[in-house]
Amino acid sequence: MTATIAYGAVEVGTELPARSFPVTRATLVQYAGASGDFNPIHWNEKFAREVGLPDVIAHGMFTMAEAIRVVTDWTGDPGAVVEYGVRFTKPVVVPNDDTGALIEVSGKVAAKLDDNLVRVDLTVTSDDKKVLGMSRAVVRLA
Amino acid sequence: MALDQSFVGRTYPPTPAYEVGREKIREFAEAVGDTNPAYVDPEAAKALGYPDVIAPPTFVFSITFRAAGQVIQDPQLGLDYSRVVHGDQKFAHVRPVRAGDRLTVTSTIEGIKTMAGNDIVDIRGEVHDESGEHVVTAWTKLVARAAEEA
C-alpha cells in the first residue's frame, strides 16, 4: 500500500481538499444497476411520494461512496481506507431536472492514531442539510 | 409487536461464494464517477502493491446486503421489510476487495432494539475469501419504522 500522504506531514486539523459531487436521476439509475439496489424510492417519483418521501432520493450507499472519494483522492490509494462508517441522517432529494442535487463533502484529520493511522471526520451536506452523520474514516498513511 | 430478543447472537450459514469481476468493479466505479485508476487498470493497482484491480471501499455492501437478506427475510424474525430504512453502515477492511476474490459472507444478528415503536436490527457480516482469509467486516443497522395506527 502506498498512500501518497505521509503520516508526519499531517496534524490534527489538517483539511482535505473539499469536493462537490452532482447526482441526477440518470446517476441513480446507473448506481442502481451497478449496486443491484433497485428500490423504487431511488427512481420512481410516484412510489417515493406514496411512501411519504418528498421526491426520489439518492441511495444512502451512493452518498457514502461519494463521500469517501475525498479521502481516497487525498491518499491516492483507496486500499489505505481501513475503517469507514456513517449514519444516514437525511435523504438526498434528487429532483427530475437537468441539475439534480449536489453532495458537498469536506474532511479534516480529527485524530492521529498509532501505526501511521489517522482518523478523518467528514462533513457531508446537500441543500445545506447534513445528510450523513458520524461520518468517519480511518486511513493508513505513508 | 417487538421483535424476539432470542435472535440476538444468531449466525446464519455462509453464503455461496460471490466472484468479484474486474468489469463489475469498473461498472461500480463508473456509477459513482470515480476515475481512480486502481479500480480499472491492473498495472495501476500493481503499482500500489495489489495483485489485481481493487474495489472502492463501499463496493462490498452489495454482497453483504444480499447476505443480510437471510436475516431480513427470516420469517421467524418477522421484520417488516416494506418499512425498513438503512440507519448506519460501517466497514472495517483487513485488505481491499479485489478482482478474482471469491467471497462468502457470514451474517450474525448483533442486536435487536425497539425504540418508539421502531424495530432496530444490527447485522454483522464477516467476509472471507476462498482461502479463508478475513477480508472485511460490514456492520449494517436497519430500522423498521413503526406502522401508523390503523
Side-chain angles (χ1 to χ4, degrees):
Chain A
M1 303 198 199
T2 45
T4 52
I5 303 286
Y7 179 78
V10 303
E11 295 165 19
V12 170
T14 296
E15 294 192 8
L16 281 57
R19 297 279 307 274
S20 295
F21 303 103
V23 45
T24 65
R25 293 290 177 86
T27 320
L28 296 184
V29 171
Q30 190 177 0
Y31 183 78
S35 69
D37 181 348
F38 296 102
N39 189 327
I41 61 174
H42 305 306
W43 51 268
N44 183 331
E45 190 170 323
K46 175 172 171 285
F47 184 92
R49 291 189 195 279
E50 277 170 9
V51 298
L53 294 166
D55 203 337
V56 160
I57 63 169
H59 305 70
M61 289 306 302
F62 175 83
T63 305
M64 187 175 184
E66 295 303 326
I68 198 64
R69 289 175 59 192
V70 163
V71 178
T72 54
D73 283 355
W74 180 61
T75 61
D77 179 0
V81 176
V82 174
E83 278 183 31
Y84 178 36
V86 307
R87 175 162 296 168
F88 302 104
T89 49
K90 285 259 187 335
V92 174
V93 178
V94 182
N96 186 24
D97 57 27
D98 296 337
T99 314
L102 204 59
I103 297 166
E104 301 190 70
V105 186
S106 62
K108 65 179 178 191
V109 175
K112 292 188 79 171
L113 314 170
D114 294 340
D115 202 17
N116 280 16
L117 297 172
V118 300
R119 195 187 93 211
V120 173
D121 287 3
L122 297 166
T123 302
V124 186
T125 61
S126 184
D127 198 19
D128 293 326
K129 289 190 277 286
K130 197 169 179 178
V131 293
L132 297 181
M134 302 289 290
S135 184
R136 294 173 168 182
V138 174
V139 283
R140 178 164 286 118
L141 300 182
Chain B
M1 196 175 67
L3 297 177
D4 184 349
Q5 281 290 326
S6 73
F7 277 73
V8 175
R10 177 172 293 207
T11 294
Y12 292 76
T15 55
Y18 175 104
E19 187 165 325
V20 179
R22 283 182 184 170
E23 293 304 333
K24 192 65 194 176
I25 292 175
R26 177 198 299 273
E27 183 188 4
F28 186 91
E30 284 178 355
V32 299
D34 196 330
T35 57
N36 194 309
Y39 301 143
V40 291
D41 176 1
E43 294 309 315
K46 279 175 191 151
L48 293 173
Y50 305 112
D52 205 327
V53 294
I54 62 171
T58 64
F59 172 88
V60 76
F61 180 77
S62 40
I63 306 169
T64 58
F65 189 66
R66 188 187 294 186
Q70 291 173 295
V71 181
I72 296 163
Q73 287 153 20
D74 184 338
Q76 291 181 295
L77 178 63
L79 197 64
D80 181 358
Y81 185 58
S82 71
R83 312 196 67 81
V84 165
V85 295
H86 199 172
D88 293 19
Q89 182 61 42
K90 184 179 172 187
F91 302 100
H93 293 269
V94 179
R95 66 160 173 84
V97 169
R98 59 189 181 231
D101 272 337
R102 290 174 54 80
L103 302 176
T104 59
V105 187
T106 305
S107 299
T108 299
I109 299 179
E110 276 201 331
I112 294 176
K113 272 191 293 196
T114 301
M115 285 174 68
N118 300 318
D119 289 320
I120 302 164
V121 179
D122 288 297
I123 302 165
R124 185 182 78 244
E126 299 281 359
V127 182
H128 291 85
D129 70 13
E130 203 167 23
S131 70
E133 185 196 353
H134 181 204
V135 178
V136 53
T137 302
W139 289 269
T140 302
K141 185 187 290 292
L142 299 174
V143 181
R145 291 167 297 142
E148 286 95 18
E149 294 298 324

